Amino acid sequence: MKFLTTNFVKCAVKGCQSSQESFPLKYEECQLVQEEQEYNPEFITHMLERLDWNAILKVAHDLGNDRLPPNKPENLDPIMEDDQAVLRDLHTLLLETQIVEGKMVCGNCEHIYYIKNSIPNFLLPPHLC
Amino acid sequence: MLPTPIVKDVDYEKVYEPAEDSFLLLDCLEEEQEFIQSRFKNIIPIITEIGGGSGIVTTFLHKNILPNSIFITTDINPHACEAILNTVKVNKIDQDQDQDKPSTNSKIPTIPYLIDSCQMDLTSGIKAQEIDLLVFNPPYVPAEIVPEIPTNLNDDTWLDLALMGGEDGMITTWKILDNLHNILNPLHGVAYILFCARNKPDQVAQTMTSRGWNVETVILRKAGWEVLSILKFTKTS
């Protein structure tokens, strides 16, 4: 499961839908692997527009990365050297970082979801469906 | 004609084997190629296929229609979740070998591979109103029941979940249709859903139209003793 995907998944429990705490999930005991992707700065600037930056910061923190800028980088220009470094960092973090094994915990109901072989499992036991 | 992805090393005792319905979806998406590409030309879309199975449809979309997208494919069946990733990988290697670039000898693909496979019931773990393009080949066969989810990995009823759709074959499909406004992105969202004649797609279209959806039959085909069609849903602006 790519870091990027953490920006789009939440707790599957119905009762958690309206809770602010059910997104992003909290990531624990994660095993990470870097998987090479072609670097495409335009794709990243475009993609940034639709990301929830606070959620990115929280998940990055869970995974031990506190080096991201506190505000979503805007108007990044792939020609500028400073911006290039930011784009490269985002590329590595969002697109190349894979969570291979780990736990995802809902901040509202505390249900634990597992990631195994890069596949997160959001199925619920019958009593939570 | 756009190339059909390679599907191999999939255990068809456990994962739905691509059949007429899967190929109808590919033909539908090919026909819709221009519409889809122009609809998403200014954004990076989130694409979700529910019940990805062997991964043939998701791989087709990624390779041929919208490579620059974020794919989150779901399936309730753990064997299918693995098959999806495998099919993506098989077709990636195939592409790398096709690239005639002896000077760089690079194994890095030229398009992003942002495809995640989640074990999930429908879209229950995906944030509301995020999905731009939804594709669903549901369990549409009318049956007494919708089977329970097996608890054992080696259970031989995983495949039944891909087929049996309860009353009118519509129990699972209605779960999506009833919630479609909450699943699709309100601005760009579009859904392609497959039906057989016994699902009464005309009635479905009528009901959904009365709820404010544009419903269009994109493709209709006789496949053996079944008549299959794919409806496209977009929100009336």
Side-chain angles (χ1 to χ4, degrees):
Chain A
M1 174 181 174
K2 291 174 177 49
F3 187 112
L4 179 64
T5 302
T6 67
N7 218 253
F8 303 105
V9 294
K10 56 148 181 82
C11 181
V13 174
K14 259 211 177 100
C16 292
Q17 258 172 29
S18 53
S19 165
Q20 300 280 332
E21 303 297 316
S22 68
F23 173 82
L25 295 165
K26 198 161 167 42
Y27 291 77
E28 294 178 356
E29 297 169 37
C30 289
Q31 198 181 312
L32 307 180
V33 164
Q34 295 301 121
E35 198 179 74
E36 207 171 355
Q37 293 268 359
E38 195 209 5
Y39 174 62
N40 180 344
E42 266 147 45
F43 181 82
I44 298 166
T45 49
H46 232 57
M47 188 185 69
L48 267 178
E49 290 165 17
R50 72 174 305 158
L51 295 184
D52 179 330
W53 189 253
N54 277 328
I56 297 280
L57 290 176
K58 278 187 190 160
V59 178
H61 174 80
D62 287 349
L63 300 178
N65 178 343
D66 288 312
R67 297 182 304 275
L68 291 173
N71 296 312
K72 190 196 277 196
E74 272 169 26
N75 306 319
L76 290 171
D77 185 345
I79 314 224
M80 306 295 288
E81 215 165 288
D82 287 355
D83 289 359
Q84 248 178 46
V86 177
L87 284 164
R88 278 273 175 199
D89 273 356
L90 290 173
H91 172 77
T92 306
L93 180 71
L94 300 174
L95 307 191
E96 297 193 318
T97 305
Q98 281 264 7
I99 306 174
V100 184
E101 306 278 328
K103 288 181 186 175
M104 305 176 284
V105 186
C106 174
N108 189 49
C109 71
E110 298 184 342
H111 185 72
I112 302 174
Y113 301 90
Y114 290 88
I115 304 167
K116 284 181 187 153
N117 291 323
S118 295
I119 299 173
N121 183 353
F122 290 92
L123 290 189
L124 296 168
H127 70 277
L128 287 176
C129 287
Chain B
M1 215 174 114
L2 300 172
T4 306
I6 299 161
V7 179
K8 62 177 188 187
D9 304 329
V10 177
D11 180 356
Y12 294 130
E13 306 259 307
K14 294 181 175 145
V15 177
Y16 187 70
E17 181 172 2
E20 278 87 349
D21 48 359
S22 325
F23 298 120
L24 188 68
L25 257 179
L26 301 192
D27 291 346
C28 163
L29 294 168
E30 178 158 355
E31 211 165 278
E32 288 287 290
Q33 185 177 11
E34 251 174 63
F35 166 82
I36 295 171
Q37 285 170 346
S38 78
R39 193 172 181 91
F40 301 124
K41 68 173 185 290
N42 294 321
I43 63 160
I44 307 277
I46 306 288
I47 303 180
T48 291
E49 183 191 4
I50 304 174
S54 64
I56 189 170
V57 175
T58 287
T59 306
F60 181 88
L61 268 170
H62 173 250
K63 285 199 92 162
N64 299 319
I65 314 240
L66 289 169
N68 288 304
S69 310
I70 299 166
F71 289 83
I72 303 173
T73 300
T74 75
D75 205 298
I76 209 163
N77 175 349
H79 305 290
C81 293
E82 285 176 16
I84 292 161
L85 292 182
N86 183 59
T87 298
V88 168
K89 202 163 118 194
V90 165
N91 286 277
K92 186 174 176 179
I93 293 165
D94 181 57
Q95 174 178 303
D96 290 350
Q97 285 168 347
D98 281 352
Q99 280 168 6
D100 193 25
K101 281 194 275 173
S103 56
T104 55
N105 199 18
S106 165
K107 277 271 175 204
I108 305 168
T110 49
I111 53 174
Y113 274 80
L114 302 176
I115 305 170
D116 264 325
S117 171
C118 302
Q119 192 179 1
M120 191 186 289
D121 185 11
L122 305 173
T123 59
S124 55
I126 298 178
K127 265 172 80 187
Q129 302 193 329
E130 281 287 353
I131 298 171
D132 297 298
L133 175 58
L134 182 77
V135 179
F136 189 20
N137 180 1
Y140 59 74
V141 180
E144 301 243 315
I145 49 146
V146 173
E148 303 251 329
I149 302 169
T151 48
N152 181 343
L153 203 60
N154 293 316
D155 199 300
D156 53 12
T157 60
W158 282 108
L159 200 52
D160 295 344
L161 289 165
L163 303 171
M164 294 160 74
E167 194 186 347
D168 286 341
M170 281 298 294
I171 301 296
T172 309
T173 309
W174 273 120
K175 284 192 193 167
I176 288 301
L177 293 174
D178 285 339
N179 198 25
L180 202 55
H181 57 284
N182 204 24
I183 294 172
L184 291 183
N185 180 293
L187 282 177
H188 311 103
V190 52
Y192 293 92
I193 302 178
L194 189 141
F195 295 83
C196 77
R198 289 180 293 164
N199 301 152
K200 303 173 186 150
D202 293 345
Q203 282 181 27
V204 172
Q206 231 172 36
T207 306
M208 291 302 280
T209 306
S210 74
R211 294 182 190 171
W213 292 91
N214 281 317
V215 188
E216 186 191 319
T217 306
V218 180
I219 199 166
L220 186 140
R221 183 181 295 166
K222 244 185 122 171
W225 48 273
E226 280 179 322
V227 179
L228 302 176
S229 58
I230 294 167
L231 303 190
K232 167 164 111 179
F233 300 86
T234 48
K235 198 79 196 163
T236 327
S237 47

